[in-house]
Amino acid sequence: MQSTPQHTFSTDPDNQPQDDQLKSRSPFQLAMRRFLRNKLAVISVFVILIIIILSVMAPVFTDQDPEQTDLFKIEEHPSKENILGTNGQGQDNFARLLYGGRVSLIVGFSAMTFTLLIGVVLGSIAGYYGGIIDNIIMRAADIMLMLPFLVLALTIMAIVDRVTIPFFITIIALTTWPSLTRIIRGTYLSLREQEFVLGARAIGASDFRIVFKHFIPNAIGPIVVNATLMMASYIIIESALSFIGFGIPQPTPTWGNMISEAQNVRILRDHPEAWIPPGFAILITVLAINFIGDGLRDAFDPKSSQR
Amino acid sequence: MTNQDKHVAELTRDHSDHQQLLDQDTLISVKNVKKYFPVKGGILKRTVGHIKAVDDVSFDIKEGETLGVVGESGSGKSTLGRVILRLLEPTDGRILFEGADIAHIGNRKMREHRKNMQIVFQDPLASLNPKMSVGELIEEPLLVQTSATKAERKQKSIELLEKVGLRASDRTKYPHEFSGGQRQRISIARALALNPKFVICDEPVSALDVSIQAQVLNLMKDLQDEFGLTYLFIAHDLGVVKHISDRVAVMYLGRIAEIAPKDEIYKNPKHPYTQALLTSIPVVDTGEDTIQREKVKISGELPSPADPPSGCTFRTRCPFVHDRCAAERPELKETENGHYVACHLYT
């Protein structure tokens, strides 16, 4: 008698039958619930939000102009006026850190959106129609993947006089689209054989409807996850290119060209306040975005998190 | 003896009906339909052969009738269903639906016919888009094919849900919240949304528990009576088909081995393959009614459809095989009233 199972009175919120009967949850709502249960991912969302607020509202936090050079204040140590000191052109490091976040986030987000657009369109066409069209698109993707990204990007940057932010974003998107396109195509190829797609064709649904109502909602997991992880890698790419001087040029502040100051041994040794904060900012941002990506993957595909 | 007489009488009645109705009441007529899948090989991806999934299949289905199609995995029965619905392009042959040949018409014209022909798939989870609510799923055909307003579609979906034994409140739920049997009911409701004339049931109960199978079969039968539906009912064993079919076709390696009215197939199977299939159904011996059937056992696997045996494709597994079987392919011939069989034993 004592061994009567007690778990029927479990306090676990998931085991409340009444609640479930009253309210049914869509697959998207279920994914959201799983995401919100992932602490690391939720904290990362807040971290990213703080970084966005800091950079978007930069004028609130500093009254210094990040592009204003001052030859009388070169490489100064931190002071009340310049919290993180100044760089080799006398620009305020703190202001550049805040405004630089704008560039990194804009580059990351826009390049991701652009790549997503190319990837969804080309991946959908290739994955849905298959055959010759698929072959053409995928061989083009192979050629792009074959070219080493860095060499290609450097060549293009070297040819152009002045690299603007939109140009930079375009270059990144046009050189990195194949990976996302492949993922989307691959997902479609497996979806195409699903019976519900045949069912949609059996009722006479148009190709457009099948792609938008049946393929994309079922491929949204891999698409969102990979797009997120890609955004992190774009922020790294921007920093890396700026670091070696082929990114977005001065006087526009970016985290990458702030770190490039540290190429100078004197600054590396004597002015850690000039390069540690931007380095840390890149680290935190990329890490947070990756955690969000992982959280999304676990949320959309619960099987992947069952360790 | 008396049993036999009654049986013959029944048959002749069936047959006269059949003759009478043959022309005006034929809903769908499949004529010499073939579906070959090319086999590509080598570096240049050249076609090196064909898998003859459906090879020269012909039959008619009358309005309101149920034709059961039986065969083991790989016999081409599902492919046949998909070819009839033009979910796969037929390699050759004609498919007459209400007198119009739909085998090679364009997609736009085919769309019109899709209102009248629907399909229920085997796996009710795979055949329902997991990201769509039950309401959306059932209303999708209406959205695609008709100009019904949102309120009308909602009304219709509630009606259909109640018809198949679900509740109106299930509209807002998602497929993952239902059991297999309930999901299959949703599939059926979706298939019936456009009031089709013809429904292909592609092993609709194979994935369900035995206790649920009977419920779903009964539901399909009731709906058939109510809406005057015509079914092509695909299954892999003769047991399931027995309850719902008027006539049964047995397929082997892409061809029809035997096609006959239901009672004929079960009481007087002619093709050795049909006999073997019937032997494989477990029988409860009640002492009186059990028909003493000769046990026919076959062994081995289905030969590869890419390289079928010469002559009769069943000869490699047939216990009654003789010289002629390898040399000559048996044609599907009528032996008795409405009973067609493709076997050299009967010619």
Side-chain angles (χ1 to χ4, degrees):
Chain A
M1 290 306 118
Q2 282 165 326
S3 64
T4 314
Q6 292 293 312
H7 59 250
T8 42
F9 303 106
S10 163
T11 49
D12 185 348
D14 288 335
N15 285 347
Q16 289 177 353
Q18 289 100 341
D19 187 30
D20 270 6
Q21 265 165 15
L22 284 174
K23 193 164 172 284
S24 79
R25 292 188 175 87
S26 71
F28 179 74
Q29 286 168 316
L30 287 172
M32 269 330 277
R33 272 164 59 91
R34 282 194 292 270
F35 182 80
L36 292 177
R37 236 178 277 155
N38 184 335
K39 288 197 191 77
L40 204 55
V42 174
I43 292 169
S44 298
V45 169
F46 280 108
V47 169
I48 291 294
L49 278 178
I50 290 167
I51 292 170
I52 290 173
I53 289 169
L54 282 175
S55 52
V56 169
M57 295 170 68
V60 177
F61 300 105
T62 177
D63 43 14
Q64 298 277 351
D65 182 346
E67 299 187 11
Q68 181 62 50
T69 53
D70 188 344
L71 294 177
F72 297 105
K73 288 167 77 176
I74 285 173
E75 289 176 18
E76 284 196 350
H77 282 284
S79 64
K80 225 174 200 172
E81 207 177 334
N82 306 108
I83 303 171
L84 294 174
T86 57
N87 67 4
Q89 280 93 44
Q91 295 160 320
D92 178 52
N93 276 335
F94 184 64
R96 288 181 73 76
L97 182 68
L98 295 182
Y99 284 93
R102 287 185 179 182
V103 176
S104 287
L105 290 173
I106 285 173
V107 166
F109 189 77
S110 311
M112 183 261 279
T113 313
F114 200 169
T115 315
L116 199 60
L117 205 68
I118 300 174
V120 167
V121 171
L122 290 184
S124 296
I125 294 171
Y128 184 78
Y129 291 103
I132 249 178
I133 307 168
D134 178 35
N135 251 319
I136 294 171
I137 293 174
M138 283 305 113
R139 291 303 79 76
D142 288 344
I143 292 169
M144 286 308 295
L145 284 174
M146 206 174 67
L147 296 170
F149 167 75
L150 205 59
V151 176
L152 189 68
L154 290 186
T155 314
I156 296 169
M157 305 294 178
I159 296 168
V160 181
D161 303 338
R162 201 187 140 71
V163 180
T164 59
I165 294 177
F167 181 78
F168 189 80
I169 290 165
T170 313
I171 294 301
I172 292 187
L174 289 182
T175 46
T176 56
W177 61 268
S179 56
L180 196 64
T181 304
R182 279 186 154 196
I183 288 161
I184 293 171
R185 169 186 175 265
T187 315
Y188 276 28
L189 286 185
S190 69
L191 283 174
R192 203 164 64 162
E193 302 303 320
Q194 297 265 339
E195 281 184 344
F196 68 80
V197 175
L198 274 184
R201 285 180 48 209
I203 61 165
S206 60
D207 292 352
F208 192 78
R209 184 178 176 82
I210 291 174
V211 167
F212 280 88
K213 280 303 270 191
H214 296 277
F215 279 20
I216 292 183
N218 284 291
I220 200 79
I223 293 176
V224 167
V225 170
N226 285 290
T228 313
L229 298 178
M230 228 156 214
M231 183 172 163
S233 74
Y234 291 149
I235 291 176
I236 298 261
I237 287 175
E238 185 275 318
S239 306
L241 286 176
S242 295
F243 180 76
I244 54 175
F246 282 92
I248 292 153
Q250 287 273 19
T252 310
T254 79
W255 290 339
N257 60 29
M258 284 181 79
I259 302 177
S260 70
E261 303 257 322
Q263 282 173 348
N264 185 325
V265 180
R266 199 181 63 256
I267 289 178
L268 192 66
R269 194 180 54 216
D270 297 341
H271 293 273
E273 78 279 354
W275 55 268
I276 287 181
F280 191 67
I282 293 170
L283 178 78
I284 288 290
T285 310
V286 170
L287 212 55
I289 292 174
N290 276 321
F291 282 143
I292 294 172
D294 282 348
L296 286 173
R297 186 179 51 222
D298 294 349
F300 281 118
D301 181 14
K303 276 167 262 161
S304 68
S305 64
Q306 284 168 4
R307 280 173 274 228
Chain B
M1 279 299 152
T2 44
N3 244 355
Q4 190 82 21
D5 287 345
K6 220 161 56 187
H7 176 57
V8 171
E10 231 173 63
L11 249 180
T12 31
R13 201 177 57 233
D14 266 353
H15 181 58
S16 57
D17 282 355
H18 184 73
Q19 282 294 21
Q20 229 173 36
L21 301 173
L22 186 68
D23 287 318
Q24 68 257 39
D25 271 358
T26 300
L27 181 71
I28 190 152
S29 177
V30 173
K31 291 192 193 303
N32 308 101
V33 163
K34 292 174 185 154
K35 176 66 190 176
Y36 294 174
F37 292 103
V39 181
K40 310 255 176 174
I43 324 165
L44 294 172
K45 294 272 168 69
R46 239 181 254 154
T47 306
V48 292
H50 289 284
I51 288 181
K52 299 178 176 178
V54 175
D55 196 11
D56 204 3
V57 166
S58 304
F59 57 79
D60 294 334
I61 309 178
K62 286 179 290 174
E63 216 166 327
E65 189 191 30
T66 301
L67 175 68
V69 176
V70 178
E72 61 196 298
S73 308
S75 61
K77 53 196 194 306
S78 287
T79 308
L80 175 67
R82 283 161 200 208
V83 166
I84 293 172
L85 276 191
R86 287 283 308 278
L87 296 174
L88 292 170
E89 295 299 314
T91 309
D92 194 21
R94 292 197 298 156
I95 301 162
L96 301 174
F97 184 76
E98 295 187 300
D101 191 350
I102 58 165
H104 302 286
I105 56 173
N107 278 334
R108 194 160 296 170
K109 274 189 181 162
M110 190 59 212
R111 249 193 106 208
E112 287 301 305
H113 288 289
R114 292 202 187 282
K115 286 178 197 166
N116 288 321
M117 41 210 314
Q118 278 304 313
I119 184 162
V120 176
F121 291 103
Q122 174 178 6
D123 182 350
L125 189 57
S127 60
L128 298 171
N129 184 338
K131 302 286 155 112
M132 285 167 88
S133 71
V134 171
E136 284 178 284
L137 283 164
I138 298 176
E139 288 165 33
E140 191 183 24
L142 298 166
L143 188 70
V144 168
Q145 287 280 7
T146 70
S147 53
T149 62
K150 205 173 173 188
E152 285 167 353
R153 292 201 303 265
K154 185 178 173 181
Q155 180 62 32
K156 178 86 183 174
S157 68
I158 290 172
E159 243 170 65
L160 283 163
L161 276 173
E162 281 164 357
K163 279 259 149 59
V164 298
L166 296 169
R167 286 170 304 174
S169 60
D170 292 333
R171 258 185 93 252
T172 52
K173 292 189 183 170
Y174 286 81
H176 67 89
E177 297 172 80
F178 294 90
S179 68
Q182 288 172 319
R183 283 184 202 133
Q184 203 54 289
R185 287 169 192 267
I186 298 166
S187 287
I188 294 169
R190 179 178 151 97
L192 295 184
L194 291 166
N195 295 325
K197 292 183 176 145
F198 178 55
V199 179
I200 291 182
C201 313
D202 189 355
E203 303 200 34
V205 297
S206 302
L208 306 178
D209 286 349
V210 179
S211 57
I212 308 294
Q213 283 189 355
Q215 286 179 16
V216 173
L217 284 175
N218 286 336
L219 171 71
M220 297 185 82
K221 197 123 184 90
D222 293 345
L223 291 169
Q224 178 172 37
D225 294 342
E226 188 173 345
F227 296 106
L229 298 169
T230 305
Y231 285 149
L232 177 75
F233 194 98
I234 299 165
H236 58 244
D237 70 279
L238 279 161
V240 169
V241 158
K242 191 173 184 178
H243 297 284
I244 198 158
S245 304
D246 298 314
R247 280 191 305 145
V248 175
V250 177
M251 277 187 82
Y252 187 80
L253 224 59
R255 297 180 145 256
I256 290 180
E258 185 167 10
I259 180 166
K262 176 174 75 177
D263 295 334
E264 266 289 285
I265 280 271
Y266 288 93
K267 290 188 183 136
N268 184 21
K270 290 203 151 52
H271 199 284
Y273 182 57
T274 316
Q275 291 169 0
L277 283 180
L278 283 168
T279 307
S280 69
I281 302 177
V283 186
V284 181
D285 193 346
T286 51
E288 311 163 34
D289 278 349
T290 319
I291 308 152
Q292 284 307 316
R293 215 180 287 126
E294 205 183 328
K295 299 273 186 217
V296 176
K297 283 200 176 123
I298 55 169
S299 55
E301 295 287 315
L302 198 67
S304 162
D307 184 24
S310 66
C312 175
T313 47
F314 186 59
R315 72 179 164 84
T316 50
R317 297 165 79 187
C318 184
F320 311 115
V321 64
H322 52 282
D323 297 344
R324 205 177 151 200
C325 299
E328 222 181 298
R329 170 170 281 176
E331 294 299 320
L332 194 63
K333 284 213 180 91
E334 187 166 16
T335 56
E336 281 168 43
N337 305 330
H339 193 145
Y340 296 79
V341 62
C343 180
H344 288 312
L345 291 173
Y346 302 96
T347 49

